[in-house]
Amino acid sequence: MVNILIFGPPGSGKGTQSVRLAEKFNLTHLSTGDMLRAEIAAGTELGRKMSSIMSKGELVPDEVVIEMIASKIDSTKDSNGFLYDGFPRTVAQTVSLEKMLGERGMKIDTMLVLEVDHDELVKRLIGRAEVSGRPDDKDTAVIENRIEVYREKTEPIIDYCRTKGIYQPVNGMGTIEEIFERLSSYLSPLV
Ligand code: AP5
């Protein structure tokens, strides 16, 4: 099974592209943001605890998302592999994922990083606020904080993965279809 990271700042198109790629390549789409929002929607204790962290645009504790991912990996069958969207978000999460995969005879095969201009990220997220109902899309200050948290805590993963030879930047500007074709060209030889 292949393991592919779809990486990039908030609003770079990770979710949009992951849904399409998962369908085309028969991959299991694992979005920690979606999993956390499902906990909030279900009114679980975990969801209640994570809700205020997420609405400020801060990261939830590493152990919460690592646990979620491990249980999904172990319960997935009939798939060519996994597309990770919004995970890992810290170097510690990356190291945990590598360990988890190693124990199951797998590895991270590639990290596709969507590169999008700052102004375009903000424009996309403000646009989505109209329909998403996401509290973290509604306020420009929270959007800017999410981008800042990405630069500070998540971007260092790029250097970590570059040293392992799995870092692949992808132009994330253009139409959804254009970007989908670019990403597909990197996935086709792997899946
Ligand atoms: P998460 O749900 O992962 O949100 P995010 O990283 O902020 O990403 P977004 O969903 O905002 O953006 P995206 O890149 O998926 O873009 P999308 O395709 O939606 O995380 C939310 C929160 O959960 C975090 O802040 C944190 O609190 C917590 N969390 C989640 N995972 C965690 C983890 N591992 N560790 C700790 N905390 C975690 O596109 C955005 C918009 O742009 C859409 O409206 C879309 O239609 C539009 N769009 C997409 N592509 C294009 C295009 N080419 N042209 C025009 N519009 C486009």
Side-chain angles (χ1 to χ4, degrees), residues 94-142:
T94 316
V95 172
S96 293
L97 176 62
E98 286 181 308
K99 183 165 177 284
M100 211 186 295
L101 294 177
E103 287 164 357
R104 292 159 177 81
M106 300 187 282
K107 63 177 173 37
I108 301 172
D109 294 278
T110 191
M111 173 207 217
L112 301 173
V113 183
L114 290 166
E115 297 187 329
V116 177
D117 297 346
H118 177 273
D119 290 353
E120 174 71 9
L121 297 174
V122 176
K123 192 174 111 193
R124 288 184 191 175
L125 293 175
I126 288 173
R128 188 176 62 183
E130 307 280 319
V131 286
S132 72
R134 277 176 57 168
D136 57 347
D137 282 348
K138 282 191 184 128
D139 182 339
T140 316
V142 174

Side-chain angles (χ1 to χ4, degrees), residues 25-184:
F25 293 100
N26 186 29
L27 297 168
T28 301
H29 174 201
L30 298 181
S31 159
T32 41
D34 287 350
M35 291 175 206
L36 289 163
R37 282 185 289 277
E39 293 283 339
I40 294 172
T44 64
E45 192 188 340
L46 179 70
R48 277 196 296 279
K49 283 189 188 154
M50 299 307 126
S51 162
S52 69
I53 301 175
M54 291 170 70
S55 64
K56 290 185 213 127
E58 298 295 327
L59 297 183
V60 310
D62 287 342
E63 56 274 19
V64 169
V65 287
I66 290 164
E67 177 65 28
M68 286 176 157
I69 290 285
S71 79
K72 290 283 180 186
I73 290 176
D74 289 336
S75 61
T76 299
K77 295 184 175 57
D78 301 327
S79 162
N80 290 328
F82 301 95
L83 266 183
Y84 301 87
D85 157 14
F87 177 89
R89 251 177 157 100
T90 60
V91 173
Q93 288 181 21
T94 316
V95 172
S96 293
L97 176 62
E98 286 181 308
K99 183 165 177 284
M100 211 186 295
L101 294 177
E103 287 164 357
R104 292 159 177 81
M106 300 187 282
K107 63 177 173 37
I108 301 172
D109 294 278
T110 191
M111 173 207 217
L112 301 173
V113 183
L114 290 166
E115 297 187 329
V116 177
D117 297 346
H118 177 273
D119 290 353
E120 174 71 9
L121 297 174
V122 176
K123 192 174 111 193
R124 288 184 191 175
L125 293 175
I126 288 173
R128 188 176 62 183
E130 307 280 319
V131 286
S132 72
R134 277 176 57 168
D136 57 347
D137 282 348
K138 282 191 184 128
D139 182 339
T140 316
V142 174
I143 290 177
E144 291 292 355
N145 187 46
R146 286 161 63 196
I147 296 172
E148 186 54 35
V149 167
Y150 171 82
R151 302 282 175 226
E152 191 188 319
K153 298 192 171 148
T154 305
E155 221 166 38
I157 301 172
I158 292 180
D159 278 342
Y160 179 82
C161 286
R162 195 186 265 128
T163 62
K164 299 187 174 245
I166 53 173
Y167 161 65
Q168 179 58 61
V170 179
N171 179 2
M173 300 288 286
T175 66
I176 289 171
E177 196 50 42
E178 285 166 348
I179 299 160
F180 178 67
E181 291 307 322
R182 284 176 208 143
L183 290 166
S184 293

